[in-house]
């Protein structure tokens, strides 16, 4: 829909739904599917097109705390693959099992005529650095998360990640591997 509107002399803004706006950090697959079905049926014809799973989708413990005001579980050990890349928590997103990632949900969202998105945090998981977990490199060299992290680059509101040290010769490899993973998911 993002077309020029003569009446407002501006672009129509992107319209969609973001899971954080209602579920905070706790959305699961069933809730996401119900919301995209509603969007497709009731909002798509008004220009709504984006459906986004927001932050903490890799945390299997999100939503398991009794305090509804907890947004983030400090220093949570969320789900990552063998290369320190975040993957969906299978207890919350069962269709991601078997390395499928978000492909089944993205395919479902696209089948409804909507666009699928995920929120990602910049940086590399702190626990992957502390445990010297590997990252995927372009040349197969054994590089660990702590070797590309900048421990002084942290987020004040979310303690999950360290920034990536752009001076590290393998920093770009980490980011490239993340986008390679998402491409594998389709």
């Amino acid at each position: 829909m993002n077309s020029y509107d003569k009446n407002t002399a501006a672009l129509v803004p992107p319209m969609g739904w973001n899971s954080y706006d209602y579920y905070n950090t706790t959305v699961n697959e069933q809730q996401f599917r119900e919301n995209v079905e509603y969007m497709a049926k009731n909002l798509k014809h008004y220009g709504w097109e984006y459906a986004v799973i927001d932050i903490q989708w890799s945390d299997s413990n999100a939503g398991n705390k009794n305090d509804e005001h907890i947004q983030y579980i400090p220093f949570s050990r969320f789900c990552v693959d063998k290369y320190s890349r975040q993957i969906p928590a299978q207890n919350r997103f069962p269709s991601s099992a078997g390395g499928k990632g978000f492909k089944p949900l993205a395919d479902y969202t696209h089948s409804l005529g909507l666009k699928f998105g995920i929120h990602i945090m910049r940086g590399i998981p702190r626990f992957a650095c502390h445990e010297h977990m590997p990252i995927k490199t372009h040349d197969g060299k054994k590089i660990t998360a702590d070797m590309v992290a900048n421990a002084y680059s942290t987020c004040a509101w979310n303690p999950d990640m360290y920034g990536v040290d752009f001076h590290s010769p393998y920093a770009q490899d980490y980011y490239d591997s993340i986008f390679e993973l998402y491409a594998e998911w389709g």
Side-chain angles (χ1 to χ4, degrees):
M1 175 108 186
N2 300 321
S3 59
Y4 188 75
D5 181 340
K6 294 177 192 173
N7 297 325
T8 61
L11 289 175
V12 176
M15 295 190 296
W17 175 79
N18 183 302
S19 67
Y20 188 86
D21 295 336
Y22 184 79
Y23 296 100
N24 199 319
T25 61
T26 66
V27 72
N28 63 40
E29 183 165 344
Q30 179 182 343
Q31 294 162 335
F32 181 81
R33 285 178 180 268
E34 290 170 359
N35 277 276
V36 296
E37 289 165 5
Y38 182 88
M39 280 180 61
K41 182 179 179 185
N42 299 293
L43 301 172
K44 186 170 73 172
H45 62 276
Y46 292 113
W48 289 58
E49 61 182 337
Y50 297 99
V52 177
I53 295 176
D54 207 319
I55 196 163
Q56 302 300 107
W57 46 262
S58 62
D59 193 336
S60 60
N61 291 314
N64 292 338
K65 298 290 184 185
N66 293 331
D67 185 348
E68 65 187 47
H69 302 292
I70 292 178
Q71 289 188 27
Y72 305 103
I73 300 166
F75 304 100
S76 176
R77 184 176 173 85
F78 44 85
C79 302
V80 296
D81 71 1
K82 66 181 181 178
Y83 295 120
S84 307
R85 303 174 297 189
Q86 290 179 269
I87 57 174
Q90 288 182 29
N91 65 321
R92 295 174 51 206
F93 301 98
S95 70
S96 70
K100 294 179 193 141
F102 278 126
K103 182 169 180 41
L105 274 182
D107 288 348
Y108 182 69
T109 304
H110 297 156
S111 77
L112 298 174
L114 301 172
K115 295 177 182 172
F116 177 81
I118 58 172
H119 175 279
I120 59 172
M121 283 294 293
R122 60 86 172 135
I124 192 162
R126 286 190 190 191
F127 74 84
C129 298
H130 298 166
E131 296 176 19
H132 311 289
M133 293 176 66
I135 65 166
K136 187 172 185 180
T137 61
H138 69 280
D139 60 6
K141 187 170 182 184
K142 294 186 181 196
I143 301 295
T144 57
D146 54 300
M147 296 168 77
V148 299
N150 176 351
Y152 297 102
S153 175
T154 59
C155 175
W157 54 270
N158 183 312
D160 293 341
M161 312 291 264
Y162 284 130
V164 171
D165 180 0
F166 66 90
H167 291 93
S168 168
Y170 287 90
Q172 188 63 51
D173 285 30
Y174 178 70
Y175 281 121
D176 290 348
S177 78
I178 291 172
F179 293 109
E180 178 184 296
L181 176 67
Y182 299 159
E184 289 171 9
W185 294 348

